[in-house]
Amino acid sequence: MAVILLQSPKGGTGTTFLAAQLALHLAGKGYEVNALDCTFQDSLKMHFGFMPAQAVPEWGAGGGEPLVAFGVSVMQGHGQSRSAAFAARVDREFERMFDPGHIWIVDVASEDRHLLELLMPRCVLHICPLLPTAASLATLNRLSETAPAMKLDRTVFVLNQLDDRQKLSRHSHSFVRDLFGDQLLATIRRDEAVNEALARFELISKYAPPSAALQDLRLFADAVEERIGLKPAPGEANIEVTGDA
Amino acid sequence: MRRDARKLLEKLNRKDFAYREFEDRFSETELWPIFAAVLGDQKVVGDDAARLPVRQVQQDERPAPAARTSQPQAAPNQIFAQYGAPQRRAAPKNNVDLKEFFNRFSELD
């Protein structure tokens, strides 16, 4: 089992986008993947082609069958994770809640420190998206109350929306890379195809196969796979992310 | 046009595309105060932080200009190699020496 948290102390850094893309790419490699949206925004589903008005079944508690798209089961966990009994359930029956046969990609809202701290000791990886902006870099000191960002063994960074045309973006890339070393897991180039694909409720791989960001996302998924030592998926990929080879 | 860019165009069967290499001259490389602030923050780098006050870093720790050496032409498939999985230099994770860090940072594009 692998529970992977995606959370950034700064909102708007692409956490939901990266959670969805990681789920899609890991499913494309043949893994059984669940994507759990623990945010109020409820926008994770859009990255799998579901409409904003489409209800996503609540995780557990008889919420019904999850939505499944491109090999990923999508569930809504916002209500459940904020319930009074949730922390006790996590302590008592974590493996029952997070089916060990699956990879769980959990999208945690930027302000939800409680959920982050609750799940952090039990996750294999915490992915913190950053932007090459001052506002994003300034929140690096908000990652943990107990340890500095550089000493968080399970936390890695993804620098999102890189744009080499912008000086601060280039310099931020160099800065983060040198500061965090292999804690910087991947970089994703800024690419309007990402936004346009989402507006069409299409996969980037279908809407814009040559997308620069798509290439970076593939490397991001590879890096996660290597980082947490995932065993090769047992069978053939259950969904091919076309244009992504 | 760089040779590697021309080769890439040939591979793509295109005659042209908007291409520009964004490279900073040293005079344009700035030691952004936000970087110094991050490096001086114990909640980011731990006990190695704040060896020098941030203001002193800004004023005194500007590195000497780095000599530029000619770089070998990158192969077409290397043009974008800096993205995705980052190529890394030795990381100063264990001990953050601000002077050394900024010296190295100044050598970057």
Side-chain angles (χ1 to χ4, degrees):
Chain A
M1 173 179 57
V3 175
I4 301 171
L5 307 179
L6 285 99
Q7 195 267 358
S8 169
K10 171 82 174 66
T13 58
T15 303
T16 298
F17 161 67
L18 291 174
Q21 294 300 324
L22 180 59
L24 285 166
H25 280 82
L26 291 178
K29 289 167 176 279
Y31 296 103
E32 299 284 340
V33 181
N34 292 337
L36 182 61
D37 187 345
C38 291
T39 74
F40 176 74
Q41 294 182 50
D42 191 27
S43 60
L44 183 68
K45 63 189 177 191
M46 287 178 61
H47 296 269
F48 299 90
F50 298 111
M51 301 289 135
Q54 175 121 27
V56 180
E58 188 73 23
W59 171 47
E65 292 297 312
L67 299 178
V68 180
F70 308 106
V72 180
S73 298
V74 183
M75 289 169 269
Q76 174 55 251
H78 179 253
Q80 183 81 217
S81 65
R82 297 176 82 85
S83 69
F86 183 73
R89 279 195 69 202
V90 167
D91 276 340
R92 202 173 54 241
E93 51 187 30
F94 183 76
E95 292 210 350
R96 189 157 164 260
M97 297 168 73
F98 293 91
D99 169 14
H102 290 74
I103 295 172
W104 290 77
I105 308 292
V106 186
D107 180 16
V108 181
S110 61
E111 76 281 3
D112 200 347
R113 284 288 291 271
H114 175 72
L115 181 59
L116 179 69
E117 289 171 5
L118 182 66
L119 296 182
M120 184 75 107
R122 298 168 175 87
C123 76
V124 294
L125 198 64
H126 164 222
I127 298 169
C128 175
L130 299 172
L131 296 182
T133 65
S136 179
L137 296 176
T139 61
L140 281 166
N141 63 5
R142 307 292 292 167
L143 278 170
S144 170
E145 291 294 328
T146 56
M150 287 177 63
K151 310 290 185 189
L152 296 171
D153 292 338
R154 296 181 193 185
T155 297
V156 294
F157 300 96
V158 175
L159 196 52
N160 191 21
Q161 297 187 17
L162 271 183
D163 186 344
D164 268 0
R165 295 169 299 177
Q166 306 299 328
K167 184 165 63 175
L168 180 57
S169 182
R170 295 193 300 275
H171 291 183
S172 295
H173 183 189
S174 301
F175 175 74
V176 171
R177 183 178 57 202
D178 272 20
L179 182 62
F180 287 110
D182 62 7
Q183 235 182 322
L184 175 61
L185 194 67
T187 56
I188 313 292
R189 277 169 283 181
R190 186 181 190 90
D191 186 347
E192 187 59 15
V194 169
N195 197 29
E196 292 175 355
L198 188 61
R200 292 173 176 269
F201 299 98
E202 288 182 357
L203 295 183
I204 306 169
S205 54
K206 180 184 177 193
Y207 173 68
S211 158
L214 184 62
Q215 298 173 45
D216 299 339
L217 290 163
R218 177 175 52 79
L219 295 173
F220 165 47
D222 290 346
V224 169
E225 194 179 19
E226 182 181 345
R227 181 82 176 202
I228 63 178
L230 283 175
K231 292 176 183 172
E236 293 294 317
N238 50 18
I239 176 68
E240 184 178 350
V241 183
T242 55
D244 194 24
Chain B
M1 183 181 293
R2 279 170 45 158
R3 189 176 56 186
D4 51 1
R6 188 180 300 113
K7 283 187 176 179
L8 179 61
L9 279 177
E10 289 169 4
K11 271 188 157 184
L12 297 172
N13 200 23
R14 299 278 297 270
K15 291 184 177 177
D16 58 47
F17 66 103
Y19 172 81
R20 178 182 163 194
E21 186 166 345
F22 291 87
E23 191 173 12
D24 301 318
R25 292 189 299 272
F26 173 74
S27 60
E28 293 175 342
T29 304
E30 295 180 31
L31 301 178
W32 299 87
I34 183 64
F35 297 165
V38 169
L39 287 172
D41 193 329
Q42 285 188 314
K43 288 188 173 180
V44 180
V45 300
D47 294 337
D48 296 323
R51 286 185 180 179
L52 296 171
V54 170
R55 186 169 298 280
Q56 188 178 344
V57 172
Q58 293 170 353
Q59 292 175 347
D60 298 339
E61 299 302 317
R62 291 182 181 272
R68 286 211 169 275
T69 56
S70 60
Q71 299 291 322
Q73 295 282 336
N77 61 357
Q78 292 176 323
I79 290 178
F80 304 118
Q82 64 180 301
Y83 300 103
Q87 292 177 323
R88 301 181 181 95
R89 295 165 179 81
K93 283 195 63 176
N94 293 329
N95 294 295
V96 178
D97 183 317
L98 295 181
K99 183 175 180 181
E100 189 272 338
F101 188 95
F102 279 129
N103 272 330
R104 192 152 38 81
F105 185 70
S106 72
E107 296 168 1
L108 302 173
D109 291 334

